[in-house]
Amino acid sequence: RKEVEQDPGPFNVPEGATVAFNCTYSNSASQSFFWYRQDCRKEPKLLMSVYSSGNEDGRFTAQLNRASQYISLLIRDSKLSDSATYLCVVRVDYKLSFGAGTTVTVRA
Amino acid sequence: SQTIHQWPATLVQPVGSPLSLECTVEGTSNPNLYWYRQAAGRGLQLLFYSVGIGQISSEVPQNLSASRPQDRQFILSSKKLLLSDSGFYLCAWSLVREGRTEAFFGQGTRLTVV
């Protein structure tokens, strides 16, 4: 079983729509959780950390469910610039494990 | 502020040739360092990570090796490249802060083995 699994998508949504997707992780000892964004042929960049109580950063909302071992990302009022691949990241001690990514395409 | 440098940006190498990719971090000390590989259209695979000078952990058996000769320098090497070594190689660093560990990536090296 993969350490981190994501729905690869793609999610094709119109501008202004809301899109949400999940990521599951296998290690119950996972300590920290993040969402990264990767544009085509570029390095991943940190989008936001995911806190136990859930957190928002502008139009982005992240949730953590430790009991079911998944995290989620919701994007409200999608912009064309939100088109990217979103990577779920889980930390156990020093090891950071990445999901394969969920591709989101926002169309005009 | 911290910065991470990775070079070269692109590389085309013949099968059987050696490889050396270098990564350096500025503005921090004793970072955790990582090498990842991303094959075309796929996720990031952790290859090596290091928590200190000379300390290397390997995640998968492969044709590659890593070394950390200095605190802020991480090198990925191969004696003889295979076609399957082609991919996007990313170096990253992280620090534990307030119980969280965020990773920051270099711009990557796109390696094509021909």
Side-chain angles (χ1 to χ4, degrees):
Chain A
R1 184 183 174 187
K2 290 183 181 178
E3 294 177 9
V4 182
E5 296 203 59
Q6 294 183 245
D7 180 346
F11 288 79
N12 295 305
V13 300
E15 269 187 297
T18 295
V19 59
F21 40 89
N22 292 341
C23 157
T24 59
Y25 59 95
S26 60
N27 191 336
S28 59
S30 297
Q31 295 153 298
S32 302
F33 309 88
F34 309 91
W35 283 105
Y36 277 72
R37 170 192 170 128
Q38 186 175 25
D39 294 303
C40 187
R41 300 179 71 81
K42 297 286 189 180
E43 76 276 18
K45 294 186 178 177
L46 179 67
L47 178 67
M48 59 194 301
S49 301
V50 186
Y51 305 143
S52 297
S53 55
N55 49 296
E56 266 187 33
D57 184 359
R59 297 180 292 105
F60 297 84
T61 301
Q63 297 281 351
L64 167 64
N65 186 317
R66 282 192 182 272
S68 300
Q69 296 186 194
Y70 74 86
I71 66 173
S72 64
L73 182 66
L74 181 145
I75 308 173
R76 289 188 304 277
D77 188 22
S78 300
K79 311 291 184 189
L80 294 176
S81 57
D82 294 333
S83 297
T85 296
Y86 292 85
L87 306 173
C88 170
V89 183
V90 173
R91 179 179 73 87
V92 178
D93 296 327
Y94 297 106
K95 181 178 174 182
L96 294 167
S97 298
F98 284 71
T102 297
T103 299
V104 173
T105 302
V106 182
R107 62 183 188 275
Chain B
S1 65
Q2 300 88 359
T3 56
I4 179 168
H5 302 281
Q6 186 183 339
W7 67 93
T10 58
L11 193 58
V12 179
Q13 292 283 101
V15 168
S17 64
L19 173 74
S20 180
L21 301 181
E22 188 165 343
C23 170
T24 58
V25 181
E26 295 177 359
T28 186
S29 59
N30 198 30
N32 301 322
L33 295 172
Y34 307 83
W35 277 111
Y36 287 87
R37 176 171 61 202
Q38 187 174 36
R42 306 192 55 188
L44 276 73
Q45 179 187 33
L46 179 61
L47 302 175
F48 302 95
Y49 66 96
S50 171
V51 301
I53 296 174
Q55 300 178 60
I56 308 294
S57 297
S58 174
E59 281 297 297
V60 294
Q62 58 205 310
N63 185 39
L64 302 167
S65 62
S67 62
R68 185 170 177 174
Q70 300 180 47
D71 181 42
R72 290 170 287 180
Q73 183 185 29
F74 204 23
I75 297 171
L76 183 70
S77 304
S78 173
K79 292 182 179 178
K80 288 186 178 181
L81 284 169
L82 307 172
L83 287 174
S84 57
D85 292 325
S86 295
F88 189 37
Y89 288 82
L90 290 153
C91 178
W93 74 274
S94 73
L95 284 175
V96 177
R97 296 186 297 186
E98 299 175 352
R100 302 192 301 274
T101 304
E102 300 163 347
F104 301 91
F105 286 84
Q107 292 187 320
T109 297
R110 201 160 298 277
L111 171 67
T112 305
V113 183
V114 297

